[in-house]
Amino acid sequence: MLILASLGSWLPFAIVGLFIIFFSIIFTLRYQQKRNRDYLVTLVCSTSLIIALLTSSLLPTDVILVSFMKNPNGTFKEWTSNQTTRDHIQKYVEVGYYVLYGLVILLAFIVNPFLFFYYEEKEEQEETSKRIRSAIKWTIGFLIFLIILIILGIFVPQLATLPSDNSTSEWDHVKYLIDHFDSSRIEDSISFTIFTLSIIGFLLLTIYTGYGSIACPLSLIRGKRSARLQQATIEEQRTDIHNQIRILKTRYPRHIPMPDREKRKLAELEQQDAALCRNEELIINIRQSFCFKCRYIYRPIQIILGTLLFFFAILIFISLLLSNINKCINFINFKQIFAQGNQTLPNPIDIVLTWTGKFYPISYIFLTGLMVYIILTSLYGLQQIGIWYFWIRMYRFSRGGTKPQAILMLCSLLMFIVVAINVFVYLLIPQYAIYGDQHYSVINNNGTVIIQSCTQFVTTNECQMTVMGRIILRFFYKVWFFGAIYFCLSWLFLIIFVGSFLLKLIRNRESNIHEYTVESLLENEDETEDEPLIE
């Protein structure tokens, strides 16, 4: 029975893992420069994405595993009646988390920075040995930062002390979550490092996912601008520019010297015409493509899919909003805010997942779908917003035209976001992320047995916590300001979500093409069209 239960939990993870490997390789190959493809970059970027996505996909398996341990009537199944057996089963999941997290740290602080600076130096056309030395010099800075985090991770969590036995009654609601879950200094060090990375990822998640989660479905619903009208507009603009150029040249025949101011104006008009000419070629190619001619077939599907994703995005927004409001209503202090679940207000996604837990594998599919949606909308946000350094765009992403350092930066940012997803899911659905759809039985005063759901506010040993729930709660208690930062960032996510919704409604529909400007044309003469990740 133990083998069958383990197979039922790990088989979906293996299937998802195969999809992750396929997606990571195809994504990296498709976005790299076709003419100067570097297979070392392909290997490192694909590996980074695979490890990050596997770390995220381990959470649904973790939740399903603890849900499998109990019967619907609240009793443990025969093969998990022993606490030692349950701990032994979860030990494999815990080892998996720490191994994957360790690989994420290795890639984020050593491998990816080295390759990034190696290809940055290539832009200067330096010798290979000089590029390697320069890349090592910059990587040492990241390595020093990693060592500092590891040292802090050894000592900082140890400074936390559990409340005394005569502590306030409010602590009784969360004390049972922390008791008997001690951790070693090595675990604390890894946790401190990875949660520091996840803060960066959570900040990126609030920006890119906060925008992409609502902008993506709205883009599917609204569609793109009319290609015919867009082509007509470009033709009108070119005609107007041609008239200005003709008038300017007529005013100054060959025997009359043209003033410098007029020469600059003529050069600007010719550059604008060149950019519009490129846009006109692109829009003509779009209108002649087979996919465009089939738009009346796939357009209804786009609207239906966009509508479904829109309601899903609203469901995420409402669940996170209610979860945060609940924390504010029952606020004790920031040191305990991490453990305050759905005590007062309901959580729609929590309710749906707990209910679908009766019908395996629907709950697994729903939770995996939630995480896939967050990842894909993060990619959409990265594609649409891009990577900026203050007001300067650092890199542009295009299919078949992304530079090696740009694809490395994209994969690194996505890796940070994916690492933060586990914490985001905990904030979104705290009850299900910790206990799945487990129930426990209590005997009422009149002797009747009542079946209730396991929550953070039930002090009983009859509920088995997920490994990720234990890691998060244990670490957030020891280093409480991490939980406070995540809580504040979750409000920022909600604000960006609302702002993106309003912005998307006000702005015009997206163009059928990546519209070239004079600046982008001069900077990217050899770039291909910058298409969105999600059509």
Side-chain angles (χ1 to χ4, degrees):
M1 187 64 186
L2 177 60
I3 296 175
L4 291 176
S6 299
L7 183 63
S9 301
W10 288 103
L11 182 60
F13 176 77
I15 296 173
V16 171
L18 292 176
F19 278 106
I20 287 173
I21 295 172
F22 177 78
F23 167 80
S24 301
I25 296 174
I26 295 300
F27 173 82
T28 306
L29 289 174
R30 187 161 190 178
Y31 272 80
Q32 266 193 297
Q33 286 180 332
K34 294 180 179 179
R35 292 180 300 174
N36 301 314
R37 180 167 291 165
D38 192 297
Y39 291 99
L40 179 60
V41 174
T42 303
L43 175 63
V44 172
C45 289
S46 301
T47 303
S48 300
L49 291 178
I50 290 170
I51 292 173
L53 293 173
L54 284 177
T55 305
S56 180
S57 65
L58 198 56
L59 179 61
T61 301
D62 189 10
V63 174
I64 293 300
L65 199 58
V66 296
S67 299
F68 269 2
M69 293 182 180
K70 304 203 75 175
N71 295 307
N73 62 3
T75 60
F76 281 105
K77 294 179 180 178
E78 183 179 352
W79 55 276
T80 57
S81 57
N82 192 315
Q83 180 64 48
T84 304
T85 304
R86 298 197 294 269
D87 293 340
H88 180 72
I89 294 172
Q90 288 192 299
K91 191 66 179 178
Y92 292 107
V93 180
E94 186 175 16
V95 170
Y97 274 123
Y98 283 118
V99 169
L100 290 172
Y101 277 148
L103 292 174
V104 166
I105 293 171
L106 176 67
L107 288 166
F109 284 98
I110 299 177
V111 179
N112 286 10
F114 174 80
L115 276 183
F116 177 83
F117 290 110
Y118 176 80
Y119 285 99
E120 274 292 296
E121 295 298 329
K122 188 177 181 180
E123 298 291 330
E124 304 296 333
Q125 300 296 327
E126 292 188 4
E127 297 179 3
T128 302
S129 58
K130 292 182 179 179
R131 287 160 51 194
I132 292 175
R133 286 197 298 270
S134 180
I136 291 175
K137 179 180 65 177
W138 287 103
T139 306
I140 288 174
F142 283 84
L143 186 60
I144 293 173
F145 181 63
L146 173 60
I147 294 172
I148 293 173
L149 288 181
I150 291 174
I151 294 173
L152 289 175
I154 293 174
F155 295 103
V156 171
Q158 310 303 322
L159 301 178
T161 56
L162 289 170
S164 58
D165 294 335
N166 58 353
S167 59
T168 60
S169 59
E170 287 83 359
W171 169 247
D172 294 334
H173 292 294
V174 295
K175 182 180 178 182
Y176 74 99
L177 292 174
I178 308 302
D179 286 343
H180 311 301
F181 290 123
D182 194 16
S183 58
S184 66
R185 290 179 180 267
I186 295 177
E187 291 174 324
D188 286 338
S189 180
I190 295 175
S191 298
F192 187 86
T193 306
I194 204 66
F195 280 115
T196 301
L197 283 182
S198 66
I199 283 182
I200 301 173
F202 207 98
L203 180 60
L204 296 171
L205 186 145
T206 59
I207 298 172
Y208 293 111
T209 313
Y211 171 81
S213 59
I214 188 63
C216 178
L218 286 178
S219 296
L220 291 173
I221 294 172
R222 298 183 67 191
K224 297 182 178 179
R225 282 182 270 169
S226 169
R228 179 180 58 82
L229 293 178
Q230 196 171 350
Q231 183 180 352
T233 302
I234 294 174
E235 289 174 351
E236 291 177 4
Q237 291 173 343
R238 290 198 68 193
T239 301
D240 180 60
I241 289 176
H242 288 166
N243 289 334
Q244 294 183 51
I245 292 174
R246 180 179 54 80
I247 293 172
L248 197 58
K249 289 183 177 180
T250 303
R251 190 184 305 166
Y252 297 97
R254 291 186 178 180
H255 62 278
I256 300 177
M258 184 180 293
D260 292 340
R261 181 174 60 84
E262 301 294 348
K263 287 182 179 179
R264 287 194 297 269
K265 183 178 179 180
L266 179 62
E268 291 175 0
L269 289 172
E270 290 175 344
Q271 290 174 350
Q272 291 175 14
D273 183 59
L276 289 172
C277 180
R278 177 69 68 87
N279 292 335
E280 187 176 18
E281 292 175 359
L282 293 175
I283 199 68
I284 291 173
N285 291 336
I286 288 290
R287 294 191 67 188
Q288 293 176 348
S289 66
F290 175 77
C291 184
F292 182 80
K293 294 176 181 177
C294 297
R295 64 190 181 280
Y296 296 111
I297 298 176
Y298 67 77
R299 180 66 188 131
I301 299 175
Q302 269 190 335
I303 296 174
I304 294 172
L305 178 62
T307 303
L308 293 175
L309 293 179
F310 174 77
F311 285 117
F312 192 56
I314 295 299
L315 189 65
I316 292 174
F317 175 82
I318 293 174
S319 296
L320 184 59
L321 178 63
L322 292 176
S323 179
N324 282 0
I325 292 175
N326 180 80
K327 287 180 172 63
C328 293
I329 292 174
N330 303 283
F331 181 79
I332 301 170
N333 55 51
F334 277 111
K335 291 185 177 182
Q336 298 181 26
I337 199 168
F338 62 89
Q340 296 173 7
N342 307 322
Q343 186 176 12
T344 306
L345 301 177
N347 187 309
I349 297 182
D350 240 340
I351 294 172
V352 171
L353 284 170
T354 303
W355 181 77
T356 55
K358 305 173 185 177
F359 312 102
Y360 178 81
I362 296 179
S363 59
Y364 184 92
I365 295 173
F366 190 90
L367 182 56
T368 303
L370 171 65
M371 306 188 79
V372 168
Y373 179 77
I374 295 172
I375 293 169
L376 291 181
T377 52
S378 301
L379 283 170
Y380 182 86
L382 281 164
Q383 172 70 29
Q384 295 296 316
I385 299 175
I387 299 176
W388 294 76
Y389 182 75
F390 293 104
W391 59 88
I392 302 173
R393 182 190 288 270
M394 293 182 62
Y395 296 109
R396 184 182 297 275
F397 305 120
S398 59
R399 293 181 181 180
T402 307
K403 296 179 179 180
Q405 56 267 48
I407 195 73
L408 283 165
M409 174 84 67
L410 175 64
C411 291
S412 296
L413 293 182
L414 186 61
M415 184 166 60
F416 290 159
I417 291 173
V418 171
V419 168
I421 286 179
N422 286 342
V423 180
F424 180 78
V425 170
Y426 165 72
L427 293 173
L428 182 66
I429 45 174
Q431 175 182 319
Y432 192 80
I434 295 178
Y435 291 114
D437 65 335
Q438 294 180 73
H439 294 77
Y440 71 102
S441 57
V442 293
I443 301 176
N444 206 352
N445 294 331
N446 57 9
T448 58
V449 178
I450 301 176
I451 307 300
Q452 296 182 348
S453 298
C454 291
T455 67
Q456 299 98 305
F457 305 98
V458 179
T459 54
T460 177
N461 293 324
E462 293 300 313
C463 295
Q464 187 74 21
M465 295 178 62
T466 60
V467 175
M468 179 51 62
R470 187 165 69 241
I471 291 173
I472 290 176
L473 290 173
R474 180 178 62 200
F475 181 78
F476 281 6
Y477 169 72
K478 289 187 173 183
V479 191
W480 63 268
F481 56 83
F482 274 75
I485 292 173
Y486 285 120
F487 176 68
C488 295
L489 287 177
S490 65
W491 282 107
L492 179 60
F493 176 92
L494 296 172
I495 294 171
I496 292 178
F497 184 97
V498 174
S500 301
F501 174 74
L502 298 175
L503 179 64
K504 201 67 179 177
L505 290 180
I506 296 172
R507 292 182 63 182
N508 293 328
R509 289 185 296 173
E510 292 181 9
S511 172
N512 289 275
I513 59 172
H514 165 68
E515 295 184 352
Y516 281 93
T517 61
V518 174
E519 292 77 12
S520 62
L521 189 66
L522 293 175
E523 293 175 1
N524 305 280
E525 284 292 336
D526 58 341
E527 276 197 12
T528 56
E529 182 180 354
D530 191 9
E531 300 172 310
L533 289 169
I534 302 176
E535 297 287 351

